[in-house]
Amino acid sequence: MTQAQISLTRFLIEEQRAGRITPELRLLVEVVARACKRISIAVGKGALGGVLGDAGEAGQASINVQGEAQKKLDVLSNEILLEANAWGGHLAGLASEEMDHSQPIPDVYPRGNYLLLFDPLDGSSNIDVNVSVGTIFSVLRCPEGVTTPGDEHFLQPGTAQVAAGYCVYGPQTTLVLTVGHGTHAFTLDREVGSFVLTVRGMRIPEETKEFAVNMSNQRFWEPPMQAYVGDLLRGKDGPRGKDFNMRWVASMVADVHRILTRGGIFSYPLDSKCAPKGGKLRLMYEANPMAFLVEQAGGAASTGRTRMLEVQPTGLHMRVPVFLGSKAEVEAAVAYHLRHD
Ligand code: AHG
Ligand code: MN
Ligand code: MN
Ligand code: MN
């Protein structure tokens, strides 16, 4: 008899039975997973579903709080997540890359004890060219005694996360999740419509020979980043003593999934273009959930100077420089920054 497949539902019930998650958190993760299935179906339809291209009326782009032109799938994915989480009773409020401010759960529904933050569709620039995209989410506790949470109640450091995950819509639709006890991968069985546990306890190799960075920004980087990548590019003839390979998908979810699967270092450092805003990637619903997943898989995540999960948020859409992946490589990159300061 083949080994029984463990569904996401069974995995979560066993985590709850072991006392590692509450029934409410189990419910919340199931709701998010169900929403990701719906997003996967919409993404998979592409041109046939009329979901490609920019949102907004003809010629009038719809610009989000980030200053980005929203894609139709940015808006649709956001709506799917809002609707799925409104009535379940497990959330007090939610925040999204695509919404200026957080939203308490509507009064008509019961509220729960958690806060959900998400990047409903990560890698939007890849949607129209059929390259993997994804959804990223992070779960915090709603502070004691707060029944109508505002933005300020979401501003908790990454160490306060009780769960985090992403769903990558690629050749497979795979949900990767941590509830603080390892990082685990679930692949969508499209025939049955359920996520099946395919990797229990993902582990990132300590060392790597693969880096992920958008090299077109090289001339805009800070000196320590120039030095770090310069040495890395000199390969085995340089101080690193080994040749590196490069990958850059421009969907953080796809790059992080590759790193969780086979190692590597991902970086979106400060450059003179994004430095005034603090960086390109957002702390609350990109860097922090990914940092939690990576640390739970034995990797490391840093701003280049500070452990990512210890950054104190100052705003819902705060941006940070990001270095994450194979522990020894992240430490090497951080060393260049600390030496320079
Ligand atoms: P989003 O599509 O949610 O706005 O995020 C895009 C991010 C991230 O997914 C990716 O790593 C990065 O932007 C790519 O930036 P460049 O296009 O500058 O390479
Ligand atoms: Mn965006
Ligand atoms: Mn994103
Ligand atoms: Mn996005």
Side-chain angles (χ1 to χ4, degrees):
M1 188 175 111
T2 55
Q3 199 217 353
Q5 287 191 336
I6 296 182
S7 66
L8 175 65
T9 299
R10 176 174 164 185
F11 176 87
L12 292 171
I13 285 172
E14 290 173 349
E15 289 298 290
Q16 178 186 323
R17 204 172 279 150
R20 290 198 278 264
I21 58 173
T22 64
E24 253 193 334
L25 183 55
R26 173 168 64 81
L27 262 179
L28 169 54
V29 174
E30 292 261 29
V31 164
V32 173
R34 224 175 4 259
C36 288
K37 272 190 271 187
R38 286 189 55 200
I39 295 170
S40 173
I41 290 164
V43 166
K45 284 185 180 153
L48 300 178
V51 293
L52 300 183
D54 288 350
E57 303 308 318
Q60 182 64 34
S62 156
I63 306 296
N64 64 14
V65 65
Q66 320 288 340
E68 303 164 341
Q70 288 178 310
K71 295 286 189 182
K72 286 179 188 161
L73 270 171
D74 282 324
V75 175
L76 176 60
S77 307
N78 192 57
E79 286 163 359
I80 288 173
L81 280 155
L82 291 177
E83 189 280 327
N85 282 285
W87 43 268
H90 43 269
L91 279 186
L94 8 74
S96 164
E97 175 198 349
E98 303 303 336
M99 301 188 316
D100 294 21
H101 293 286
S102 62
Q103 270 181 17
I105 291 299
D107 283 335
V108 293
Y109 299 121
R111 287 183 187 160
N113 301 312
Y114 294 104
L115 300 176
L116 178 69
L117 304 97
F118 49 85
D119 175 356
L121 205 86
D122 173 65
S124 302
S125 66
N126 282 323
I127 294 167
D128 297 347
V129 293
N130 196 16
V131 169
S132 302
V133 293
T135 297
I136 310 171
F137 64 93
S138 171
V139 183
L140 297 168
R141 288 188 185 83
C142 187
E144 213 46 47
V146 173
T147 50
T148 304
D151 288 5
E152 68 279 12
H153 299 112
F154 287 77
L155 302 186
Q156 304 174 35
T159 46
Q161 294 175 98
V162 292
Y166 62 79
C167 194
V168 52
Y169 312 119
Q172 304 102 41
T173 285
T174 301
L175 180 81
V176 175
L177 172 74
T178 183
V179 293
H181 300 274
T183 294
H184 313 287
F186 302 82
T187 302
L188 180 61
D189 175 339
R190 294 183 193 282
E191 284 150 39
V192 177
S194 75
F195 282 104
V196 177
L197 179 66
T198 40
V199 184
R200 185 190 287 271
M202 298 179 93
R203 298 304 294 168
I204 302 181
E206 281 254 339
E207 305 284 346
T208 185
K209 292 182 179 176
E210 196 159 72
F211 73 102
V213 69
N214 182 337
M215 286 299 293
S216 71
N217 295 322
Q218 185 175 21
R219 65 187 187 283
F220 303 116
W221 292 337
E222 298 178 298
M225 184 67 184
Q226 298 272 8
Y228 166 61
V229 173
D231 283 349
L232 181 150
L233 288 174
R234 289 166 61 199
K236 56 179 175 299
D237 308 328
R240 304 304 313 277
K242 57 183 175 179
D243 289 341
F244 280 76
N245 189 17
M246 193 197 116
R247 287 284 181 276
W248 185 251
V249 182
S251 292
M252 185 183 198
V253 169
D255 281 313
V256 170
H257 190 70
R258 185 190 58 255
I259 287 168
L260 276 168
T261 305
R262 71 183 190 209
I265 182 168
F266 171 97
S267 176
Y268 211 109
L270 285 182
D271 61 51
S272 51
K273 295 178 293 174
C274 68
K277 289 188 241 168
K280 161 109 191 215
L281 300 180
R282 285 61 54 118
L283 174 67
M284 298 306 292
Y285 40 80
E286 289 175 319
N288 268 346
M290 292 310 201
F292 191 14
L293 290 160
V294 161
E295 283 200 3
Q296 285 291 317
S302 171
T303 62
R305 294 171 169 97
T306 311
R307 181 187 175 213
M308 189 62 73
L309 293 181
E310 292 175 1
V311 172
Q312 180 51 49
T314 54
L316 210 49
H317 302 295
M318 173 179 177
R319 296 167 186 254
V320 286
V322 178
F323 294 80
L324 60 79
S326 293
K327 198 176 171 75
E329 196 55 37
V330 171
E331 288 166 354
V334 169
Y336 277 82
H337 285 77
L338 298 181
R339 257 202 306 278
H340 174 268
D341 288 351

